[in-house]
Structures are given as C-alpha cells and as structure tokens.
Amino acid sequence: MAIDENTLLLGIDVGTTGTKCALYNLSGEIVAHAYQEYQMLHPQEGWTEQDPNRWWNAVQADLQNCFVRQGIDSGRIAAIGVSCTNALTLVDAQGEPVYNAIGHHDLRADPQLAWLQEHVGEDLVFRVTANKLGKGTFCLPSLRWLIDNRPELVERAHKLLMPSGFIIHKLTGEWSMNRPRTSLTSMADIRTGEWSMEIVEKAQVPARLLPKPYSSCEIVAGVSKAAAALTGLREGTPVVAGCLDTAVATAAAGATEPGDAAFTLGSCGRVCCISSEPVFDKRLLNIRSPFDGRYTIVQSTDNAGISLRWFRDVFGDAVLADAQKAGLGIYPYFDRLAQAAPAGAGGLLYLPYLAGEKAPIWDPRARGVFFGMGLGTGYGEFVRAVMEGVAFSLRECMELMPNASDRTSPIPIGGGVANSQVWCQILADVLDRTVIQLRSNETETLGDVIIAAQGIGLTQIPPSFGKQLAKSGRLLAPNPAVTALYDEQFARYKKLYRQLKELF
C-alpha cells in the first residue's frame, strides 16, 4: 500500500487481565483505542490459568470497536505488531487450545522444577539461556507438569504458543514464536534465539511442539481471508512476529542502545537496561531485544502500583469523603497528601513485599511491613511511605544492573505510576537521577507499532522512535536537599529486610 499521511499502524497487546488494540499515525499519536477485560482462572489453590479464546474474542471486539464505533478505515493499516504476557498455551493442529493457558503466576510445578534440576541441570540452562531455572517466569516447568499430569493433552497438541503466537496464528494461519519470548522458555539459546535441542531432549519435550523462532521485526505472513472476515482487517496486511511485552515497552520508552535504561511501573515494576551482551547473573533476567544484537536485562518486581492499590482498598475509605469534598479522585488525593508529607515520611519505612518478591531479593516468603510509626504519624506519611518503599525497591534493583552507575542520562518512566508526578519525583530523589515522566503510558502498543514499522521498512518510524517521543515528556531532576536523607533511609530499608528475613 502507498505510505502517506493517512497511513496507520496497529499494535495489539495481550495482557494478563485484558487485551488492548491501538492504532497510531506516523507521528506516534493514538487515533483509535479499545480494551477488553477478562478474568484469570483459578481452578485450584495456587493455579493461575487463562482461556486463550478470550484473547481472540477480545481482539475481535477491540477491532470492531475501532473500525465501526470509531470509524477507522482498516485499509489505512500498513502493518500489525503483537506483544503479550507470559502464558503457556498448547494448541491442536487447527490452532484450538487443548487446555487453558498456564500463566506466570502459577505455582503448581514444584515437583517438575525439582525433576528438571536433576535431569537437565541448572548449570546447563544458565549456560545456554543466561537465566536461572525457575517456574512461573519460565514456562518449561509448566510444560513438564502437563507432560507428567495430562499426557493425553500433550499427545493431542500440535504446537506450544505464547499469547502473541496464538493471535498471530488466528490472524495468519502460521505458527511462530518471537525470539524475545523464547528467551523465557528455558529452552532457547540466548545468543541465537534458536531452540537448544540439548535442553529439549534432556527435558523430554516433544520437539514437534516447538514453533519456528522469528526475530521480532520479521513478517510472519499477511492477514488471511478468514481472519479478515472476522476482524474487519484488510486481507494481506503484514503481521510481524512481535515481542515480549516488557522488552517492547522498554523500546517504546526510549531504551534501545547499550546503557539505556527504562522503568515500566504498573501493578508490578520492571527495571530494564539495554546491553550488547547477555549478563550472566542469576539475579537478572536476560531477554533478546526486539532489535537484533541487543539484549534487554530485566529486574521484575511484583509489588509496585499494586502496593498503593492495596492501601487504597484497605484504608481508602478513611479519606474518601475528604477526596470527594476536594473534587478529586482517590489517587490524585493521595498525591496531594504525599506531597504535603515530609520526605522520608517522618521515618516511616514500607517494605513492598505484599505477595513475596522477585527482584531484587527473590524471596517468596517475604511480606509487606510498615516500620517506625508513632503517635505523630499521619495518613499522608503512610501514603508517602508506600511510594518511597517502592522507590527503594527499584533503587535496589538498579544497583544490580549493568551501567547502573551512569547517572548522566535520564530514565523514562511509563506505566500507571507515571500518572503521578509526586511519585515520579520521589523516584528521581531516591535514585539521585533525572527521570522522564512519559506523556503516554501505552508503551506496549507503541512498541508494537515501532517493530511493525521496521518489518515493512517504514523509515518515518525508526527503532529510536520511542526516544524521540520521550523528549516531550516531563523532566524531573533530583532535589539535592532530600537525596542525602533518602540515602540514609535506603540503608535502613535494606537493613530492615535483612533483620526480618528469618522471621518471614
């Protein structure tokens, strides 16, 4: 199709609790957007599953919303990119799920993890993948659970897919897995993005299940006639292989070159740095970048924005009437209270380990703590302590990251936390580093269209497009008057966890 000022790109992001579709013009502006929510499934204690057909239904509903309700001509779409959360999906030869997708919060595979440690070995997995052998984040233990407990389903299965590959198959009829997503299967070589047959054979995984790996910007195929009829997309529209949500959001935030860093802070927190080589440290996650020759090094925390949401749910009613009287929603009112509270929250510390923690402590037994309250501690101090505790956790993550000592380049912040200027300023002060409060939090779908643009050679949107857009964000410099205080609080924060670890 001809490229002109009417050209659009489509980003699809399949998340844990909902799927969003967004259409962007060549200036990086959203011209249409739709979101469909769905529920996670918990058939047993500790199990977390999703119905893959809900993803596809959500995509169809989102696209119909964009095309019919919002009046967008699908013929303007030049290419499509897809990103996704982590959910192991087995499908039959027709692409239909043989079982619910097993999500990354699932806890059932402890026996399989022990079996893999014995029969495959942590050293081999780490040497090949640059990642630790674990469950949840990595799908191999869940796959082994299916092999052990539901062999009849594995026998029926034709391919192992992630949500993006499931949607791409629905759109094109082709089987695929992008190389950033293969990085977290525990079965792919981090350097090549290809399957490690040594691990596959030792893990006794049927090789026929493994789809072809693609680079993120590679075109898998065009939209099929059948998919066009169901979605309203134009038949033949190119679909690229897509990316892991974390890696593509990092690119959209502007982190694309070695040494670049970015935060994506929603319910959980993702601290990411770009490297030209994998970093062999079991405390880190190594993921191939959507752009060849780069790696996204990740620290993933479980309790960022969810900490403040928990506080709202449990204690929000105490100030709800005051917020309404002030004409504010509860979160903007929290911002006002936190702004009025002193830096350091009057000595109150919060450990944000409400559901255990991944990075930086990797302790599933840890729990949340408020420490240091007194008769003078007010509501605003509690709100500010929550924000500061999350910032301290992110600072501890940054200390493990490559090039973390470089304080010269600002760090972009995306995700829901970026809606709070107070919280972003606290992050700047705790890190003693300038941050960028991004204008748009839709970093996943923006990243999707950036990689889609590379797939069709669209020069108006280069790999560094996110960095260009980040320049329009709000720069927040650290306040020298409080950074020294935060250094002291941070030291107490780390010591508090060490003292409590055995009690947990």
Side-chain angles (χ1 to χ4, degrees):
M1 63 178 289
I3 304 298
D4 56 33
E5 67 275 7
N6 293 315
T7 297
L8 300 176
L9 294 162
L10 170 61
I12 300 172
D13 180 60
V14 183
T16 301
T17 57
T19 288
K20 66 187 78 169
C21 293
L23 290 156
Y24 291 78
N25 62 23
L26 299 188
S27 298
E29 299 166 330
I30 294 179
V31 300
H33 176 276
Y35 177 76
Q36 283 284 316
E37 191 171 294
Y38 37 72
Q39 297 294 318
M40 290 188 291
L41 306 174
H42 303 284
Q44 294 189 35
E45 181 69 27
W47 292 24
T48 302
E49 300 179 355
Q50 292 179 273
D51 177 0
N53 287 316
R54 295 296 300 273
W55 305 331
W56 179 229
N57 292 340
V59 168
Q60 293 178 71
D62 284 347
L63 293 178
Q64 287 299 307
N65 186 321
C66 292
F67 301 150
V68 178
R69 295 185 186 179
Q70 300 178 56
I72 300 297
D73 176 10
S74 65
R76 297 168 58 189
I77 299 172
I80 301 168
V82 188
S83 57
C84 72
T85 187
N86 192 355
L88 166 66
T89 310
L90 290 183
V91 299
D92 62 20
Q94 287 71 48
E96 295 303 313
V98 302
Y99 187 75
N100 284 333
I102 300 178
H104 61 97
H105 293 104
D106 195 274
L107 302 175
R108 76 186 72 176
D110 280 327
Q112 286 69 39
L113 179 59
W115 186 93
L116 289 165
Q117 289 168 338
E118 179 181 353
H119 292 83
V120 179
E122 294 190 60
D123 289 344
L124 173 61
V125 171
F126 184 61
R127 187 170 68 251
V128 173
T129 72
N131 288 312
K132 63 186 291 184
L133 180 58
K135 62 181 182 179
T137 301
F138 310 101
C139 76
L140 180 56
S142 295
L143 178 57
R144 278 297 325 174
W145 184 91
L146 287 165
I147 293 170
D148 291 342
N149 294 278
R150 300 300 302 271
E152 77 283 4
L153 298 180
V154 176
E155 184 63 28
R156 279 178 51 201
H158 180 67
K159 282 290 181 280
L160 178 157
L161 299 176
M162 290 294 161
S164 55
F166 182 82
I167 295 302
I168 289 170
H169 181 264
K170 290 292 188 184
L171 290 172
T172 69
E174 297 296 324
W175 310 108
S176 67
M177 189 179 294
N178 61 74
R179 289 191 171 94
R181 179 49 75 190
T182 67
S183 302
L184 297 185
T185 63
S186 295
M187 294 184 287
D189 190 314
I190 189 67
R191 297 172 184 82
T192 65
E194 298 295 325
W195 300 113
S196 166
M197 297 316 297
E198 182 179 6
I199 293 177
V200 170
E201 291 170 5
K202 287 188 173 183
Q204 299 177 19
V205 170
R208 60 180 170 77
L209 295 178
L210 305 177
K212 177 183 176 182
Y214 285 81
S215 294
S216 290
C217 303
E218 275 189 89
I219 295 173
V220 175
V223 172
S224 68
K225 182 177 181 179
L230 289 171
T231 62
L233 290 165
R234 178 174 53 84
E235 183 180 356
T237 304
V239 181
V240 300
C243 192
L244 176 77
D245 52 4
T246 297
V248 79
T250 300
T256 55
E257 296 298 320
D260 288 348
F263 291 168
T264 301
L265 306 178
S267 295
C268 65
R270 290 166 286 179
V271 181
C272 304
C273 288
I274 306 302
S275 174
S276 58
E277 296 289 339
V279 179
F280 285 83
D281 184 330
K282 289 184 179 180
R283 298 170 297 178
L284 305 172
L285 299 180
N286 283 265
I287 302 168
R288 288 180 64 88
S289 168
F291 310 117
D292 290 341
R294 299 286 183 266
Y295 298 87
T296 306
I297 314 302
V298 181
Q299 292 268 272
S300 180
T301 67
D302 280 341
N303 306 285
I306 202 171
S307 286
L308 197 60
R309 187 175 71 186
W310 164 81
F311 187 84
R312 176 206 68 184
D313 291 345
V314 177
F315 303 110
D317 286 349
V319 295
L320 185 58
D322 292 336
Q324 292 171 341
K325 186 177 180 179
L328 295 173
I330 191 67
Y331 285 122
Y333 191 68
F334 279 174
D335 281 353
R336 176 182 288 187
L337 293 173
Q339 182 69 50
L348 184 64
L349 283 171
Y350 169 67
L351 300 187
Y353 307 141
L354 296 175
E357 186 56 288
K358 292 189 176 74
I361 61 172
W362 297 98
D363 185 350
R365 300 173 301 169
R367 290 296 180 265
V369 173
F370 281 111
F371 176 82
M373 68 194 81
L375 291 174
T377 305
Y379 196 98
E381 279 82 3
F382 278 96
V383 175
R384 189 174 185 101
V386 170
M387 295 180 174
E388 291 175 348
V390 171
F392 290 143
S393 177
L394 296 169
R395 174 171 169 176
E396 194 169 5
C397 288
M398 282 295 291
E399 289 184 340
L400 302 177
M401 299 297 273
N403 304 312
S405 59
D406 173 21
R407 299 181 181 274
T408 58
S409 56
I411 300 178
I413 300 176
V417 169
N419 292 323
S420 169
Q421 185 174 343
V422 175
W423 207 339
C424 289
Q425 183 62 56
I426 288 172
L427 281 161
D429 294 338
V430 167
L431 296 169
D432 191 18
R433 185 162 173 177
T434 299
V435 302
I436 305 172
Q437 184 182 10
L438 295 175
R439 289 175 55 197
S440 173
N441 295 325
E442 295 292 340
T443 45
E444 286 88 357
T445 54
L446 175 60
D448 294 334
V449 304
I450 292 174
I451 62 175
Q454 310 318 302
I456 59 172
L458 194 61
T459 57
Q460 292 94 325
I461 299 182
S464 61
F465 193 63
K467 194 182 294 288
Q468 297 174 22
L469 295 182
K471 293 177 181 177
S472 65
R474 180 186 283 113
L475 282 173
L476 300 172
N479 181 353
V482 298
T483 53
L485 181 151
Y486 277 139
D487 285 344
E488 294 176 4
Q489 283 283 83
F490 179 57
R492 293 177 64 231
Y493 167 91
K494 290 197 295 183
K495 186 175 182 179
L496 180 60
Y497 167 71
R498 293 195 300 269
Q499 295 284 348
L500 294 177
K501 182 176 180 179
E502 291 305 315
L503 291 178
F504 292 138

